[in-house]
Amino acid sequence: DTIDKFPFSSDANATDVGNLTQSRRRLAGQSSSENGYTSGGFAPPSVNKIDKFPFAADGNATDVGDLTQAREMLTGQSSADNGYSSVGSTSQILNTIDKFPFSVDANATDVGDATQTRYRAMGQSSDTNGYTSGGLSPAYRNTIDKFPFSIDANATDVGDLTQARFVAAGQSSSENGYTSGGDIPPY
């Protein structure tokens, strides 16, 4: 349940600055300008919690809402105003895209679907769109999905990764999405 913090201004080790409301793994992360969020995960069993912790002061997270369904191995995206949790798994593999607001503590709403059910995918965010890349379902996926932040809508398939893979890392710059590392077939 540990929340670690490390500085961008200098190279240094992380410090333990707080705890989540519940120990769990296989969860997603989102960020507003003021707070960090974690959603879903596996405790066990799968959970639907949305936790929030402040950036301004070191402290524990608080439970501020619920996803539309308990799930693990999901991925997170962030716009300026909302956090998104997409795809994942419970007793079934999901294609759900959930959205929750940063301005108030509230439950998530189901705002669309990914083009494929999958889990262990990677998430990226631009200023205007969320992206979900790769994953497993049960076959390895190379799909890059995009969904808009400006309206609630289903994702569209906008391209492919160079290799089908899962459990990789997703990164975002101001101009590009990145998927690094991960497992590729055969696993």
Side-chain angles (χ1 to χ4, degrees), residues 129-132 144-148 154-158:
N129 298 288
Y131 294 82
T132 305
I144 302 170
D145 274 3
K146 175 175 81 172
F147 59 89
N154 292 332
T156 55
D157 181 340
V158 296

Side-chain angles (χ1 to χ4, degrees), residues 64-141:
V64 295
D66 293 328
L67 297 175
T68 59
Q69 35 194 174
R71 56 187 156 153
E72 61 185 274
M73 297 181 279
L74 63 166
T75 188
Q77 297 87 4
S78 303
S79 73
D81 300 316
N82 300 288
Y84 294 81
S85 296
S86 57
V87 300
S89 175
T90 57
S91 58
Q92 60 184 348
I93 303 170
L94 305 171
N95 67 347
T96 308
I97 301 169
D98 276 359
K99 175 176 82 172
F100 58 90
F102 291 150
S103 59
V104 296
D105 297 342
N107 291 332
T109 55
D110 181 341
V111 295
D113 293 326
T115 61
Q116 302 161 324
T117 59
R118 52 190 154 150
Y119 63 103
R120 294 184 172 175
M122 292 65 70
Q124 297 87 5
S125 302
S126 74
D127 290 338
T128 55
N129 298 288
Y131 294 82
T132 305
S133 59
L136 193 62
S137 168
Y140 291 80
R141 300 294 183 185

Side-chain angles (χ1 to χ4, degrees), residues 1-18:
D1 66 352
T2 306
I3 302 169
D4 274 3
K5 175 177 78 173
F6 59 91
F8 288 155
S9 59
S10 63
D11 298 340
N13 293 331
T15 56
D16 181 342
V17 297

